[in-house]
Amino acid sequence: DAGVTQSPTHLIKTRGQQVTLRCSPISGHKSVSWYQQVLGQGPQFIFQYYEKEERGRGNFPDRFSARQFPNYSSELNVNALLLGDSALYLCASSRGGDTAYFGPGTRLTVL
Amino acid sequence: DAKTTQPPSMDCAEGRAANLPCNHSTISGNEYVYWYRQIHSQGPQYIIHGLKNNETNEMASLIITEDRKSSTLILPHATLRDTAVYYCIVRSDFGNEKLTFGTGTRLTIIP
């Protein structure tokens, strides 16, 4: 079975722009979570969605938003990009309440 | 979720067993211990998890103390490909999927 997939792999944006990152969960998984990992730190939880509903939100500003589609894929949107948003963005999926499996991540660079 | 404490770094000779400790003295009765690892710039990889009993899979063994306040991840025959940052995480499996990553242990396998 295919693992969690994320697109794009790399992305370069400038300050003030908006970005959309995409995630496809493992087949049969209904829960998707998003994490941000800045260089030298562990991943930080941003959002969790289960059955298209938000189940958890981390300590991130309202510039960060997400949604989950009927096929359980998900998008993470970040508006008004700041230099500090440069990071590896990780998506993880699970059946719901059990082990989460991570994708390879999207490397976002904000110039 | 309970906080975990891990040594920042460890070395292990190739072919030997790598034993990675984790303290989680405030763990609650319904919280599991999860281990993930992250090889440079890749998404975290799930290794193993447990509640009370020791667990073993094809990757590793997890030894949890009787009082559940600490645990040890054992990689039985370390190879160079096991060089990574290892994260010990405590989480409840009842609906809360947020994983709180610390700084982990940077394990270096020495040839």
Side-chain angles (χ1 to χ4, degrees):
Chain A
D1 284 342
V4 177
T5 58
Q6 294 185 242
S7 63
T9 306
H10 295 87
L11 201 53
I12 299 175
K13 293 284 189 178
T14 57
R15 281 178 294 176
Q17 285 190 311
Q18 174 264 340
V19 68
T20 298
L21 311 180
R22 295 176 176 83
C23 171
S24 291
I26 292 171
S27 177
H29 285 192
K30 298 182 178 181
S31 176
V32 169
S33 298
W34 288 94
Y35 291 79
Q36 180 197 65
Q37 186 175 26
V38 299
L39 199 60
Q41 297 182 18
Q44 299 295 307
F45 174 78
I46 309 175
F47 287 110
Q48 185 218 339
Y49 277 77
Y50 178 75
E51 291 275 16
K52 296 177 288 180
E53 291 191 2
E54 183 182 303
R55 287 290 184 91
R57 174 185 285 253
N59 188 24
F60 281 81
D62 291 344
R63 300 184 296 107
F64 289 77
S65 63
R67 56 180 175 168
Q68 187 177 32
F69 299 98
N71 66 354
Y72 305 112
S73 67
S74 177
E75 287 182 350
L76 175 71
N77 295 285
V78 186
N79 293 323
L81 285 166
L82 304 174
L83 295 179
D85 296 330
S86 294
L88 180 67
Y89 287 85
L90 296 159
C91 173
S93 78
S94 76
R95 289 186 182 85
D98 64 347
T99 301
Y101 296 89
F102 285 82
T106 293
R107 172 72 63 187
L108 172 65
T109 302
V110 182
L111 301 177
Chain B
D1 293 331
K3 183 178 176 180
T4 61
T5 304
Q6 300 177 251
S9 64
M10 293 181 64
D11 293 338
C12 179
E14 188 178 16
R16 304 297 294 268
N19 295 274
L20 291 90
C22 179
N23 286 318
H24 32 78
S25 59
T26 60
I27 192 169
S28 300
N30 67 344
E31 289 182 318
Y32 287 72
V33 179
Y34 277 78
W35 284 83
Y36 286 81
R37 71 181 182 184
Q38 189 171 27
I39 297 169
H40 182 63
S41 294
Q42 298 180 21
Q45 178 188 22
Y46 166 75
I47 302 173
I48 198 167
H49 74 283
L51 183 63
K52 301 185 203 181
N53 301 320
N54 299 338
E55 301 287 345
T56 296
N57 63 20
E58 65 278 3
M59 288 184 68
S61 295
L62 174 60
I63 308 297
I64 302 174
T65 58
E66 193 169 340
D67 63 7
R68 303 209 321 124
K69 292 184 177 181
S70 66
S71 60
T72 301
L73 177 75
I74 301 172
L75 307 179
H77 304 287
T79 71
L80 297 178
R81 285 183 289 184
D82 293 321
T83 293
V85 177
Y86 287 76
Y87 294 100
C88 168
I89 299 166
V90 169
R91 61 157 280 205
S92 167
D93 250 2
F94 296 104
N96 175 14
E97 294 200 19
K98 174 184 174 183
L99 296 173
T100 300
F101 288 81
T103 51
T105 296
R106 182 171 297 279
L107 175 67
T108 302
I109 306 302
I110 301 170

